[in-house]
Every structure is written in C-alpha cells, then in structure tokens.
Amino acid sequence: KAGVTQTPRYLIKTRGQQVTLSCSPISGHRSVSWYQQTPGQGLQFLFEYFSETQRNKGNFPGRFSGRQFSNSRSEMNVSTLELGDSALYLCASSLSRGGGTGELFFGEGSRLTVL
Amino acid sequence: QKEVEQNSGPLSVPEGAIASLNCTYSDRGSQSFFWYRQYSGKSPELIMFIYSNGDKEDGRFTAQLNKASQYVSLLIRDSQPSDSATYLCAPGSSASKIIFGSGTRLSIRP
C-alpha cells in the first residue's frame, strides 16, 4: 500500500513569489492535514480537509490556503512568500477526521527555502 | 498557556535504563492521546495511543494517562540507541484538530 506522497520534495523560491505544494494521501484516506515544521516552532497545524471541506484551521495568515479534490488529493498554496515561510511542510492523512483517531500518517514533506 | 507542553530536552539516558517523557495539555475535552516519534530528518510516526486513564503497555513502551491532572507520559524501558529521537505528544478529540507539543529530544548514550 503506497504511503503519503508529497511533491515537490525540495524547492527554492524568492520573496514575493507564490508556491503550491501537493499531497496524495493513502488510498482510502479522506482526511488530509497540513503542518509547518521549523526548528524554533516545532510542528504547527495549518489546516485539515475532509471530504473536500476545510474542517479546521490553525493560526496562520490568509496567505496560506489549501483545497482538497474529490479524489482526496490536497494542495496548499502560500502567496507573497516571506523569509519566515522557509520550513518543512508536512502533509498527513487519516481514515477519519484527524482529531477522532489521531492516527496520522505523514508524508516525507516538502522543504521550502525562501531567499 | 500553550495547548500542549513538553520539556524540550535534550534528555540523556544511559542505554538499558528507563526513559520518562512527560506532557501536559490544556484542553479538558481531549479524549485521546498520541505519542509520535520523529527521527532526525524523517517524518513523525505514531508509536502509542491511549484513551483511558491508567497505563497502556506495548512492548518496551508504556503510556500513562491522568485526565484529572491533564497529564500523559511515555516510559521507554531498556532504552536502546535506536530510541534516540524526538518524541511528540498530541492530544486529540473528535471535534478538533491534532495539536502537537514541541517535542522532547531523547538521546540514549551507550
């Protein structure tokens, strides 16, 4: 059974640009959550999607957005990039809504560097 | 007050000893509790979960939960060098998102 797939794995952008990251969950999983991980802040919750609807949102500015498609694949977008957006972005999938079971399966992440 | 608090460490434990990792949480509505392990450069992976007050054992790992004190811990017996990692605590509830603690870095010294 294939795991969670995130693309791209690495990317470099400059300030002001925008970026789109993709996540394909484990087959059959309907919930996709996104996290930002930095050395100073740890794992910060961005948002969770279930059945194409955003169910929960973390404390991030509106520059961070996401969506989920009918096949459960999800994308997140960051517009007007800032240096502080440099981080590892992790996607996690689960069978039910993440808060219910907590059994999140993480992808390998997309490492974003903003210059 | 942070939603989930963990001692960041590093916690250094000799090989073969018991490692004790602690976590406190603020949301009294939390119904389930999860411990994730993250090796350096890797993604987190679930290693234990507990729903009821008391202890839950799985091999060398024991999770302990005290809902009245809003406290959950993870004990690792017979610690091995392969246990060296960051351990993340995550309370959850059916109505809410999974929020992780900042993690405790554990180092097992030979």
Side-chain angles (χ1 to χ4, degrees):
Chain A
K1 194 173 186 182
V4 178
T5 303
Q6 290 188 247
T7 58
R9 291 289 316 281
Y10 303 91
L11 63 165
I12 299 174
K13 294 284 187 178
T14 57
R15 278 179 297 174
Q17 286 187 310
Q18 67 95 27
V19 66
T20 299
L21 308 177
S22 178
C23 172
S24 294
I26 292 172
S27 177
H29 285 195
R30 296 168 61 191
S31 171
V32 173
S33 298
W34 288 90
Y35 291 85
Q36 181 196 67
Q37 188 170 38
T38 58
Q41 297 296 318
L43 261 177
Q44 301 287 305
F45 175 81
L46 280 156
F47 25 65
E48 179 198 2
Y49 286 88
F50 183 83
S51 295
E52 302 178 64
T53 302
Q54 188 180 90
R55 303 291 179 162
N56 281 299
K57 191 176 190 305
N59 297 321
F60 279 82
R63 300 185 297 108
F64 292 81
S65 62
R67 58 178 175 168
Q68 186 179 35
F69 303 96
S70 58
N71 61 358
S72 294
R73 189 178 71 85
S74 177
E75 289 181 347
M76 68 162 283
N77 184 78
V78 188
S79 62
T80 319
L81 285 166
E82 300 176 359
L83 295 178
D85 296 333
S86 295
L88 179 67
Y89 290 88
L90 289 164
C91 163
S93 77
S94 63
L95 271 173
S96 56
R97 287 185 57 185
T101 67
E103 296 182 71
L104 300 176
F105 296 85
F106 285 86
E108 293 185 298
S110 293
R111 184 165 294 283
L112 170 65
T113 301
V114 181
L115 302 177
Chain B
Q1 182 191 7
K2 284 186 178 180
E3 293 182 73
V4 185
E5 299 214 39
Q6 296 182 254
N7 187 329
S8 62
L11 175 65
S12 181
V13 173
E15 186 174 354
I18 296 175
S20 178
L21 307 165
N22 306 313
C23 171
T24 57
Y25 59 94
S26 61
D27 183 4
R28 287 193 172 275
S30 297
Q31 301 152 359
S32 48
F33 303 85
F34 306 89
W35 283 98
Y36 284 77
R37 177 178 61 200
Q38 186 174 23
Y39 290 115
S40 180
K42 299 293 186 182
S43 298
E45 57 177 341
L46 180 69
I47 55 171
M48 283 285 287
F49 61 90
I50 185 168
Y51 298 122
S52 304
N53 274 330
D55 296 358
K56 178 184 178 183
E57 189 174 315
D58 184 0
R60 296 186 296 112
F61 298 91
T62 298
Q64 299 175 316
L65 173 61
N66 184 326
K67 290 185 179 180
S69 300
Q70 296 175 252
Y71 175 89
V72 59
S73 65
L74 180 70
L75 301 177
I76 306 175
R77 290 182 302 280
D78 188 25
S79 296
Q80 302 296 309
S82 60
D83 295 327
S84 296
T86 296
Y87 290 80
L88 303 160
C89 167
S93 71
S94 59
S96 183
K97 63 253 188 184
I98 295 283
I99 298 295
F100 287 86
S102 55
T104 297
R105 191 155 48 97
L106 174 66
S107 175
I108 307 300
R109 58 181 190 269

